Amino acid sequence: PPGSPAPPPQPGVLTVPGEASGAVLGGLHPWSRYRLQVQVFNGRGAGPPSAEIRFHTPEGGETPPKKKGDPKKGNRDPKK
C-alpha cells in the first residue's frame, strides 16, 4: 500500500513493487548455480520466505569455465 516503508537495500536482494506481475534478475553469470527465495514485505513487516528455488545458467559459451588443474578442453574436430 502507499506509504508502506521500503525494505532496506541488501546485496543480492531485488525489491519489486507489489503491483508488479514479474521481475527479471540481472547480473547472473553463465555456468553458475543459484538459489532464490521470495519474501513479502509490507507495512506489517516481513512474511515468511518461500521455499527455495534452485536453478542454474548453463548457457554462455561452448564449454564451462576450466577449473584449476583440468586438462585443456575445447572443441575438437571429429574428422582429425
Side-chain angles (χ1 to χ4, degrees), residues 75-80:
N75 289 341
R76 294 193 175 127
D77 187 350
K79 296 176 186 176
K80 290 184 179 182

Side-chain angles (χ1 to χ4, degrees), residues 6-24:
Q10 298 176 21
V13 173
L14 174 64
T15 302
V16 180
E19 62 275 3
S21 61
V24 176

Side-chain angles (χ1 to χ4, degrees):
S4 293
Q10 298 176 21
V13 173
L14 174 64
T15 302
V16 180
E19 62 275 3
S21 61
V24 176
L25 298 174
L28 302 180
H29 299 284
W31 302 102
S32 298
R33 296 175 188 263
Y34 292 92
R35 296 179 297 174
L36 172 75
Q37 287 183 296
V38 177
Q39 187 170 25
V40 175
F41 185 90
N42 60 25
R44 297 182 68 183
S50 70
E52 188 174 85
I53 301 165
R54 294 175 182 230
F55 64 98
H56 64 281
T57 55
E59 301 86 16
E62 295 176 9
T63 59
K66 296 177 191 123
K67 293 181 182 175
K68 247 184 173 173
D70 278 359
K72 186 176 179 181
K73 295 181 182 177
N75 289 341
R76 294 193 175 127
D77 187 350
K79 296 176 186 176
K80 290 184 179 182

